[in-house]
Amino acid sequence: MLSINEKQIRPVITIDIDQYKENDEIDLSYVNEPFLFLRKQNQIFGYVQFNNIIQGNDKKKNIAISKITSSSQSIKSVYCLSGQISLTDLFQIIGEPISIVKEEDMPIGYILREDILAELFKQENKSVDLLKSILTSIPMGTFVVDKNKVIINCNDAGLKMIKSTSEKVINTKAETIFSGEQVENVFATGKTILNQIQINDDMGVLVDYSPIFVDNEVEGIVIVVQDLPMVEEMASEIEYVKDLNKDLNAILSSIYDEILVVNRKGELIRYSENIIPGFWNVDLKELLGKSILEFENQGLFTPSVTKLVLEKKKKVSIVQETINGRKVLAVGNPVFDENMEIERIIIASRDITETSRLKTELKEMKKISEQYKKELEDIKSKDQFVKKLIYCSPKMEQIINQAKKIADFSSTVLLHGESGVGKEVIAQAIHQLGNRSAKPFLKLNCGAIPENLLESELFGYIKGAFTGADQNKDGYFKQADEGVLFLDEIGEMPLHLQVKLLRVLQEQEVIPVGSTKPIKVNVQIIAATNKRLEKMVEDRTFREDLYYRLNVIPLNIPPLRERIEDISLLSFHFLQQLNEKYNKSFHLTPDAINVLEFYSWPGNVRELQNIIERLVVSAEDQIINAEDVNQFLPNSYDFNKSKPVINKVIPLQEAIDYVEEQLIMLAMKQYKTTTKAAQVLGISQSSVSRKYQKIMNEKNMNSDFMSFN
């Protein structure tokens, strides 16, 4: 058993990732530790070694958050210690550069792997057997170097990787097997050097050099080696991603330094734009149609991956060495025909020093792919919502265009329009088309909830605020945080609540019933009314300051009678919905549509929807004609009261206009359609339609004027 030396416990220095954006930069010059820990949502989730994010003599200033997170390692792989260190603990520790030290399940610091090994060396004879057991058990190759730079211990895994024996390795200078420059660098700087690729005739490994400190002095080095098939697996993973996502072909092709396609004869038939500089010493364009097997015989490189694939008829990964000393990892992948004969060989070659860069790029590509996918889904969602809006009139086109512009902002919107014109649909459009579409959309009808409950519904309440308040409840404002709250019938809100609503709009905070503590909220308010709020302000039934707070972006939705072009479109839409719901096949005749278009629709779209459903339920035939429609539409013109009887001399033209108007109205009442009325009156259908429309518009204008006065 080993005891943890408190002097070797280093402080855990963390940064909170939640406080930064991906493109932010941070000054870490105050950090003197080799490791930095990352925290998200008050939990440590990873760590990063400064050597991996700082190159050469760079200072710890202006380091990008994206670089820190992309270089981080998961904290889940780090072993946790407390008190004594058992043999089992040592096996766990050896696999990671650090271990977390906990006390009562709370992290109080961390300890370096080399510090624990140094402590093991201090125990002299007792530690020797333990060290041998550890070195024998771990799967990675491990070599221990003393302060004289002599290898004093190693494990079997390491000997296999370098293809040597303990007799040839023990008591041998480390520089005869590993990089003397790196060994000198570790003793000189005391810094860990990771991911060094070493390849020669006897071995091909990735090497980590970690110093062993005793009393703050480097007394030795632990050299950890891993076999190069790890690099091959990474290349295979990149190739697999390339096959899955064709859209990333161009990007993935830039990850490979070079891609060749050869046939079963070894002849080059295709190559990528990017080639390894100085590898071929010839323009690949000149090699098209020629066998690349000859280049091995010429000594340009060795061995030939094409030759090995043709011989073994399976995927082959090798490290090629060129005449100028460069080393290239080449992966040859055979493509078989239906007879299981090799038809093509795909050769992916790259400089193995680029392993770290390729891994980072792969992570970035996956991240970008997910981002594009999300953005595409958002665009599709918005397009689908717009397609659900049923309209074709210029007035509604203008309203929808205004809604699209409003959606890019979070300004308060006041929708005004008669009952049933579709104010809620426009509010939903603003929500769906804006940057709050992924957040809640809540609707509250201010006139449908009793006054004594409206306040608690809007602002919420705390436990004990009133009888029955057994627990805290969030109001609509809190539930709609970062989203949109649609307040319908805003003119029905009581005056005392108007004051509180005004405060929410001004301060962006709410106070629940029974509480004195304000809660910050970020909600876009869309209010709607069919009343004239400015008239209510004059009558002192609506607060003037609240009116101006709500009327930031006014949007007047025209009634259905002012957008006749939408009537037929909406009628067919509602009819289609009913047909699908009840598995029917009802149809509206052109005459029926004409009758619908000449009705004034005081109930607007809601009334039109109800009429269509009433027609479907009561229809005796699948063809719905003008007579069917007329029986459900109230008489919109009173012939007895519309004009006085002429009992005195009046100008002739006025009399002609009066008679013409009565004849057209009588014909439309009796025959229902402009086509039949035109036949009876002996004029064109377009004339009847134009004159009838003019009469109805004048009647509606007079009616509006009278109600206004």
Side-chain angles (χ1 to χ4, degrees):
M1 300 289 288
L2 286 175
S3 298
I4 298 177
N5 188 343
E6 293 184 358
K7 294 181 180 179
Q8 295 174 338
I9 299 177
R10 297 171 176 265
V12 174
I13 299 178
T14 65
I15 60 171
D16 194 342
I17 297 300
D18 292 330
Q19 296 181 358
Y20 302 96
K21 296 180 180 178
E22 182 180 0
N23 297 326
D24 287 350
E25 294 184 345
I26 186 171
D27 183 0
L28 297 176
S29 57
Y30 67 91
V31 181
N32 296 321
E33 290 296 316
F35 289 89
L36 177 69
F37 294 83
L38 309 180
R39 185 175 68 250
K40 183 185 292 184
Q41 297 179 352
N42 295 325
Q43 295 290 329
I44 296 177
F45 71 91
Y47 71 94
V48 64
Q49 187 175 14
F50 274 109
N51 287 347
N52 293 338
I53 59 176
I54 298 178
Q55 303 295 330
N57 296 323
D58 293 347
K59 297 182 180 179
K60 302 175 183 177
K61 290 185 177 181
N62 301 327
I63 302 177
I65 290 295
S66 59
K67 185 175 184 181
I68 295 175
T69 55
S70 65
S71 303
S72 65
Q73 301 293 325
S74 174
I75 199 69
K76 294 181 181 178
S77 62
V78 177
Y79 193 69
C80 297
L81 299 171
S82 59
Q84 299 290 323
I85 303 175
S86 66
L87 178 61
T88 304
D89 292 332
L90 286 172
F91 290 157
Q92 298 287 342
I93 293 169
I94 202 69
E96 293 292 332
I98 61 172
S99 296
I100 298 294
V101 181
K102 286 190 174 183
E103 187 174 287
E104 296 182 357
D105 291 331
M106 294 295 294
I108 61 172
Y110 73 98
I111 188 168
L112 299 175
R113 173 176 60 190
E114 50 265 30
D115 289 342
I116 297 176
L117 292 175
E119 191 67 28
L120 186 63
F121 278 114
K122 289 181 181 179
Q123 297 196 4
E124 297 179 351
N125 294 334
K126 268 188 178 181
S127 65
V128 174
D129 293 336
L130 184 59
L131 179 60
K132 288 182 178 179
S133 298
I134 294 173
L135 293 176
T136 303
S137 302
I138 61 177
M140 295 179 293
T142 307
F143 298 83
V144 182
V145 180
D146 65 9
K147 62 182 178 180
N148 296 319
K149 303 167 187 173
V150 174
I151 299 174
I152 61 173
N153 215 328
C154 63
N155 64 354
D156 291 339
L159 293 172
K160 290 180 181 179
M161 291 180 190
I162 67 172
K163 299 178 182 179
S164 188
T165 63
S166 60
E167 290 79 9
K168 295 180 180 180
V169 172
I170 301 299
N171 297 323
T172 301
K173 284 287 188 179
E175 63 185 15
T176 62
I177 300 175
F178 301 102
S179 170
E181 180 183 354
Q182 304 297 355
V183 171
E184 291 289 346
N185 194 4
V186 173
F187 273 103
T189 64
K191 294 183 178 180
T192 298
I193 301 175
L194 301 177
N195 300 326
Q196 300 299 304
I197 296 179
Q198 184 167 337
I199 299 177
N200 54 37
D201 294 337
D202 297 322
M203 64 178 176
V205 293
L206 289 175
V207 187
D208 295 346
Y209 301 86
S210 299
I212 301 174
F213 288 95
V214 177
D215 296 329
N216 295 324
E217 295 292 333
V218 180
E219 290 293 326
I221 299 176
V222 174
I223 299 177
V224 179
V225 300
Q226 300 179 62
D227 215 344
L228 268 181
M230 179 192 70
V231 180
E232 177 187 343
E233 292 175 3
M234 187 178 299
S236 299
E237 179 185 355
I238 297 173
E239 183 178 357
Y240 179 67
V241 173
K242 175 174 176 275
D243 293 336
L244 288 181
N245 195 342
K246 293 182 179 180
D247 292 338
L248 296 178
N249 276 342
I251 301 175
L252 290 179
S253 65
S254 67
I255 294 177
Y256 288 113
D257 291 303
E258 179 179 276
I259 298 177
L260 306 180
V261 181
V262 301
N263 59 20
R264 65 186 67 185
K265 297 179 182 180
E267 297 171 342
L268 180 65
I269 60 177
R270 195 170 290 111
Y271 61 92
S272 63
E273 295 181 357
N274 296 325
I275 62 174
I276 300 175
F279 184 83
W280 294 97
N281 292 329
V282 66
D283 189 352
L284 281 179
K285 189 174 182 180
E286 299 178 5
L287 301 181
L288 288 174
K290 299 179 181 179
S291 174
I292 62 174
L293 296 173
E294 300 176 1
F295 287 90
E296 183 182 15
N297 300 331
Q298 298 175 7
L300 186 63
F301 58 81
T302 183
S304 169
V305 68
T306 305
K307 182 178 179 181
L308 292 174
V309 172
L310 290 172
E311 291 174 352
K312 297 181 179 182
K313 294 188 176 182
K314 65 178 183 180
K315 182 179 179 180
V316 176
S317 300
I318 61 171
V319 176
Q320 295 177 325
E321 186 172 357
T322 67
I323 56 176
N324 57 11
R326 299 188 66 177
K327 295 175 177 64
V328 173
L329 176 64
V331 180
N333 202 3
V335 179
F336 297 95
D337 59 18
E338 59 272 14
N339 298 321
M340 294 306 295
E341 294 293 333
I342 293 179
E343 185 175 16
R344 295 282 189 274
I345 300 176
I346 312 299
I347 303 172
S349 303
R350 61 184 174 88
D351 193 321
I352 56 177
T353 58
E354 296 294 318
T355 300
S356 177
R357 183 182 64 82
L358 293 178
K359 184 177 179 180
T360 301
E361 286 190 5
L362 177 60
K363 289 181 179 179
E364 289 297 321
M365 291 310 103
K366 289 180 177 178
K367 186 176 181 181
I368 291 173
S369 180
E370 290 298 322
Q371 179 182 347
Y372 286 163
K373 181 180 178 181
K374 183 179 182 301
E375 291 177 357
L376 182 60
E377 289 176 350
D378 290 342
I379 292 172
K380 287 182 178 179
S381 177
K382 291 179 180 180
D383 286 344
Q384 289 173 356
F385 181 82
V386 171
K387 290 178 181 178
K388 291 180 181 178
L389 299 175
I390 308 301
Y391 68 93
C392 66
S393 61
K395 288 188 177 182
M396 283 305 296
E397 179 72 26
Q398 184 179 5
I399 292 295
I400 298 302
N401 288 336
Q402 289 177 324
K404 290 178 180 179
K405 294 179 181 178
I406 294 169
D408 293 333
F409 303 91
S410 296
S411 303
T412 303
V413 182
L414 179 61
L415 303 178
H416 182 271
E418 297 179 4
S419 178
V421 294
K423 295 187 287 294
E424 183 178 351
V425 174
I426 300 301
Q428 289 176 337
I430 295 173
H431 171 254
Q432 286 293 319
L433 298 174
N435 52 18
R436 296 175 180 259
S437 59
K439 300 301 180 180
F441 175 85
L442 298 183
K443 172 193 174 183
L444 180 66
N445 191 319
C446 300
I449 299 177
E451 182 177 336
N452 58 342
L453 296 179
L454 185 57
E455 181 177 4
S456 61
E457 288 295 321
L458 277 173
F459 309 114
Y461 56 81
I462 64 172
K463 182 179 180 180
F466 49 81
T467 303
D470 299 329
Q471 57 186 359
N472 295 347
K473 180 183 177 181
D474 292 335
Y476 273 70
F477 276 101
K478 186 66 171 64
Q479 295 176 47
D481 193 25
E482 297 186 357
V484 174
L485 178 57
F486 176 50
L487 298 177
D488 199 8
E489 303 297 344
I490 190 67
E492 302 296 333
M493 179 173 286
L495 282 170
H496 74 281
L497 290 184
Q498 293 180 22
V499 179
K500 292 195 172 185
L501 177 58
L502 178 64
R503 185 180 186 278
V504 175
L505 295 175
Q506 290 175 336
E507 307 296 334
Q508 289 291 298
E509 61 183 23
V510 297
I511 300 179
V513 176
S515 173
T516 58
K517 183 179 179 181
I519 300 174
K520 282 289 182 183
V521 291
N522 176 15
V523 179
Q524 181 181 15
I525 301 297
I526 301 178
T529 182
N530 59 2
K531 295 185 176 182
R532 294 178 58 240
L533 292 185
E534 60 272 19
K535 183 66 167 58
M536 295 180 65
V537 170
E538 294 177 4
D539 297 339
R540 299 185 181 276
T541 57
F542 199 86
R543 293 183 61 92
E544 182 178 13
D545 46 7
L546 177 59
Y547 169 71
Y548 288 114
R549 276 286 179 181
L550 292 174
N551 199 39
V552 178
I553 307 293
L555 201 59
N556 294 315
I557 305 172
L560 189 57
R561 62 180 173 272
E562 294 181 9
R563 43 190 175 105
I564 297 174
E565 300 93 332
D566 294 338
I567 293 176
S568 59
L569 200 62
L570 288 168
S571 300
F572 287 124
H573 171 68
F574 295 140
L575 186 63
Q576 181 63 26
Q577 284 184 329
L578 293 169
N579 283 336
E580 292 176 357
K581 181 177 181 179
Y582 298 110
N583 194 24
K584 301 293 184 180
S585 57
F586 290 100
H587 299 280
L588 287 167
T589 65
D591 288 345
I593 293 297
N594 284 339
V595 174
L596 291 173
E597 288 179 340
F598 284 111
Y599 181 58
S600 61
W601 299 110
N604 293 292
V605 180
R606 187 181 297 116
E607 182 185 7
L608 175 60
Q609 184 176 9
N610 293 341
I611 289 295
I612 297 299
E613 184 169 358
R614 196 179 307 166
L615 287 168
V616 168
V617 173
S618 60
E620 297 181 358
D621 192 358
Q622 291 186 347
I623 304 300
I624 300 175
N625 55 35
E627 287 75 12
D628 298 324
V629 175
N630 188 65
Q631 63 179 326
F632 293 114
L633 294 181
N635 186 8
S636 59
Y637 192 88
D638 190 336
F639 295 94
N640 294 323
K641 298 181 180 180
S642 60
K643 291 287 183 178
V645 176
I646 297 175
N647 52 17
K648 62 178 180 179
V649 176
I650 61 176
L652 180 60
Q653 187 59 49
E654 183 178 341
I656 292 173
D657 292 341
Y658 164 60
V659 173
E660 181 182 76
E661 180 177 333
Q662 289 204 31
L663 285 173
I664 289 174
M665 294 305 298
L666 284 171
M668 286 301 298
K669 180 181 180 182
Q670 183 174 350
Y671 297 103
K672 314 303 181 187
T673 68
T674 57
T675 301
K676 292 184 179 180
Q679 292 175 353
V680 174
L681 294 173
I683 60 177
S684 66
Q685 186 270 342
S686 60
S687 296
V688 174
S689 178
R690 184 179 65 257
K691 293 177 182 296
Y692 180 69
Q693 188 63 51
K694 178 181 177 182
I695 294 169
M696 295 303 298
N697 287 340
E698 290 177 351
K699 178 180 178 299
N700 290 332
M701 289 177 60
N702 292 334
S703 176
D704 291 343
F705 178 78
M706 292 178 66
S707 62
F708 178 78
N709 288 282

